[in-house]
Every structure is written in C-alpha cells, then in structure tokens.
C-alpha cells in the first residue's frame, strides 16, 4: 500500500516545493463550463468541464494482489461515558427516550434544570458523542426563529417528550448569555482538556487548532490525532467564559481486519465507469480535503477546449459533453469507504492517473471480499 494518499479528481504536479497532489477537483459530471488558463487564485480547484470516460492505457500495474483493510473500533461503553461525564459536570441526569426525535446516538441523558444534554452511541465500531449546554449556546435564540405557529407547536411536543416538560424551549426568554470576555487560547485549551478528562477521553498526542473570533464570547477548538487532520478521528469543543458549552467527536482506534484481494488497475478503470462503483460506493482520500499549499495562487491550471454553444434546430442531434481520458498510471493507496452498517472503513483504493495531471479514486477490493446486502 505504497504511495501518498490523494483525493479524487485532484490534479498532480502543481504542489508546493514540487510535490504533487493539491490542484485538482472531483469529476462528478457537473455543469459544462469553459475553463481557460488563469492563475489558480482566480480559477480555484482544477476540474473536468464535463463527464469523462476513463480508458485503460498500456503498462498499468496488475499487482499487488491484496491490500489491508482497517476498521475504526472503540471498546468504550457509550452509557459509561455519558454517566461519567454527567457525574463530573454535576448534572442531575434523566434518561432520554430511545425513540426520541432528538436522541441521535441511542443513549442520552438530560438535566432539565441546566438544559445540558449528553448523547453517545456506537455506530458500526467507533464511539460518537455529543454534549450541549443548550440554553448557553450561541445559536440558542435563533434555533426556532421564524417558524409557523403549527410547526412550533409540534416541536414543543417533541421537545417535552424528549427532554421533559420542565425544560424550556430555546428562545429569547429562556436563553442565557454567558457573562465575561471570551477565554484566551490557553484558558480555552485548559478548560477543554479538563472537560475531555471528565469524559475519560485521552487527548494526549492530539493536535489542537484554536479559532477565536473577537466578535464572539466563545472559542472553538478542533482536535485530531497526529497526521490525521482530515481523518475520521476528531474532537471539537466550544469554550465560553463559563467553560465548555458544546463538544462532540469520534473516539476509537484503527484495527486491521487483515489483507483482502484487490482487482487490477485496468479492472479499476472499467469499474469507474459504472454508477455503483463510480458514484454510489464512492471512496475518498484524505489529502483531497487539505488546504491549498502556500503560493498556490501563482500556479496555472490545465486548459480545456470546450465546444462553443450552438442554437439547435429541429432534427439536430443533442450535444452532450463526454471525453475519453487515458489512464496512464495507477497507485494503490489507502482511502475511506463509507458503509451503511459499519461506518467508515479504511480500504485499498486505486488512484488512477491521467495525462492532464488529474486522478480518480476507485475501490480496489475484489468482489469476493465484499458482502453484498440487499435493501428494500
């Protein structure tokens, strides 16, 4: 599984310091537009102006025969996390109904007196959690703003059933604005670290990025494990003058499921042309979510020669864009497949390279490695 992970539809060869990988775009058969040569600052991400049909070129790799699959798994119990955090925060918790419209994770608890809600659940392996101090949130006053009376009445019924009749609905009369200035970065980090410790979440080795807005009384913090900024494991906390008002994240560890058979690069080219593999079971590669490298605005984009608009007359054939692009190379890399029952899984992906510097990701797992499940 060698090769740098890259993302679908990226253009290669334009990266900072001569490294490939930043300047591309996903070809999803979008609008046909004319793309001329401009600075990257003006054009943005490179992309195909119309649908493409990939054609296998000569000399594409036929191996390796297998690739590793990894699943994100957590051994933490959602109920234990919720109860531990509620106790640490001094809440007087009441369980949320499992069938509540507001219970998104399966296990939740609420303190109607403080309007604090904690939810957690296992979704196909990793543990997801969410904490909210609803009446102290920045969006509290506008949450149900402008709703028709009948819609608001339905929400009030669902709200009371989920959180209890003694927990007020968010609105100008019930929301509270935390007093005092926004915490400094160091203060916000310290308060967030204390919060995660109460929940039993270890953030040792995590990178943290702080976003502060002088117009706001809160500070936003994003956390991720080293070298996994755009991966599945992440945490977020919003910290105000009184402490954490909102937090959520995904917890777990990647565990290898073993080596699985993969198709050849030429077979991946053929697979890309089908709806189920080119669109429905779409795979992503983390690098595509990264920011442009410094200095990208000085670079140039590929030039595409798109037919001029024409006025149709009766009997004319209907013009549609389609372009055959030859795949000149391929790399087997790690990517992410989102499944309906087991969450996101790391899988081997063929990164198909074309002569214009773009690339297209395709799931590399052979069909004998897949359990096709019917749905009604």
């Amino acid at each position: 599984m060698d090769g740098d992970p890259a993302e679908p539809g990226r253009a290669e060869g334009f990266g900072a310091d001569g490294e490939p990988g930043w300047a591309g775009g996903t070809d999803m058969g979008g609008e046909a537009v004319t793309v001329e040569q401009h600075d990257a600052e003006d054009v943005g991400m490179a992309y195909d102006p119309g649908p493409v049909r990939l054609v296998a070129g000569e000399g594409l790799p036929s191996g390796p025969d297998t690739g590793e699959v990894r699943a994100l798994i957590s051994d933490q119990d959602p109920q234990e996390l919720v109860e531990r955090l509620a106790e640490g925060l001094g809440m007087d918790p009441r369980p949320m109904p499992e069938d509540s419209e507001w219970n998104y994770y399966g296990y939740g608890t609420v303190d109607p007196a403080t309007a604090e809600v904690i939810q957690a659940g296992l979704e196909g392996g990793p543990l997801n959690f969410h904490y909210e101090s609803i009446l102290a949130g920045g969006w509290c006053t506008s949450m149900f703003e402008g709703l028709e009376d009948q819609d608001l009445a339905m929400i009030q019924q669902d709200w009371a059933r989920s959180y209890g009749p003694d927990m007020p609905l968010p609105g100008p009369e019930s929301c509270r604005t935390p007093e005092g200035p926004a915490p400094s970065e160091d203060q916000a980090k310290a308060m967030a670290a204390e919060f995660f410790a109460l929940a039993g979440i270890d953030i040792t080795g995590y990178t943290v990025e702080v976003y502060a807005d002088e117009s706001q009384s809160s500070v936003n913090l994003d956390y991720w494990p080293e070298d996994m900024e755009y991966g599945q494991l992440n945490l977020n906390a919003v910290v105000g003058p009184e402490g954490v008002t909102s937090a959520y994240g995904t917890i777990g560890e990647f565990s290898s499921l073993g080596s699985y058979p993969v198709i050849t690069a030429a077979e991946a080219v053929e697979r890309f042309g089908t709806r189920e593999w080119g669109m429905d079971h779409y795979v992503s590669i983390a690098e595509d979510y990264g920011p442009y490298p410094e200095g990208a605005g000085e670079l140039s984009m590929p030039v595409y020669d798109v037919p001029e608009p024409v006025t149709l007359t009766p009997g004319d054939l209907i013009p549609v864009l389609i372009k055959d692009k030859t795949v000149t190379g391929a790399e087997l890399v790690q990517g992410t497949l989102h499944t309906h029952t087991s969450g996101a899984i790391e899988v081997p992906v063929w990164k198909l390279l074309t002569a214009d510097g773009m690339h297209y990701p395709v799931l590399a797992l052979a069909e004998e490695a897949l359990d096709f499940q019917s749905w009604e």
Side-chain angles (χ1 to χ4, degrees), residues 27-285:
D27 169 45
M28 294 295 286
E31 249 180 270
V33 296
T34 300
V35 180
E36 299 176 352
Q37 184 138 353
H38 294 287
D39 287 339
E41 185 176 37
D42 299 323
V43 177
M45 300 281 280
Y47 58 93
D48 289 317
V52 301
R53 185 165 46 204
L54 296 185
V55 179
E58 298 292 332
L60 296 181
S62 59
D65 297 327
T66 61
E68 184 184 26
V69 175
R70 300 200 307 163
L72 188 58
I73 298 173
S74 175
D75 58 3
Q76 293 197 45
D77 181 82
Q79 182 173 344
E80 289 181 4
L81 183 146
V82 170
E83 292 176 351
R84 181 170 55 241
L85 182 56
E87 181 179 359
L89 295 174
M91 292 172 54
D92 181 16
R94 303 180 187 178
M96 292 181 64
E98 290 186 6
D99 61 347
S100 162
E101 287 80 357
W102 305 89
N103 190 344
Y104 301 113
Y105 293 112
Y107 185 81
T109 192
V110 57
D111 184 341
T114 63
E116 293 174 283
V117 179
I118 309 172
Q119 299 183 38
L122 291 170
E123 296 188 359
L127 184 147
N128 292 280
F129 79 95
H130 184 200
Y131 163 80
E132 196 79 40
S133 181
I134 295 178
L135 300 184
W139 47 266
C140 180
T141 57
S142 60
M143 185 174 177
F144 301 122
E145 197 175 53
L147 289 180
E148 298 288 342
D149 289 344
Q150 59 183 15
D151 295 330
L152 189 59
M154 293 179 60
I155 288 175
Q156 287 174 327
Q157 294 178 5
D158 294 339
W159 186 271
R161 189 168 67 84
S162 299
Y163 298 130
D166 48 350
M167 180 166 156
L169 195 72
E173 65 285 344
S174 58
C175 297
R176 64 178 186 274
T177 302
E179 298 181 359
S184 67
E185 286 194 13
D186 289 341
Q187 290 172 331
K189 289 178 182 179
M191 287 188 280
E194 181 180 359
F195 174 90
F196 289 127
L198 291 176
I201 299 172
D202 185 6
I203 59 173
T204 303
Y206 272 58
T207 299
V208 57
E209 187 162 350
V210 181
Y211 304 90
D213 185 341
E214 293 182 358
S215 66
Q216 302 293 324
S217 62
S218 59
V219 176
N220 196 298
L221 300 93
D222 285 334
Y223 297 79
W224 61 85
E226 186 176 358
D227 298 327
M228 296 181 64
E229 181 175 0
Y230 304 104
Q232 303 170 53
L233 291 173
N234 57 81
L235 301 169
N236 174 273
V238 178
V239 184
E242 301 173 2
V244 174
T245 59
S246 175
Y248 63 86
T250 301
I251 308 165
E253 294 183 359
F254 281 103
S255 177
S256 177
L257 302 182
S259 294
Y260 288 72
V262 300
I263 60 177
T264 67
E267 290 171 328
V269 173
E270 183 178 352
R271 174 177 279 187
F272 178 83
T274 65
R275 175 186 169 116
E276 62 269 30
W277 300 114
M279 294 182 63
D280 296 333
H281 293 303
Y282 187 72
V283 287
S284 60
I285 309 175

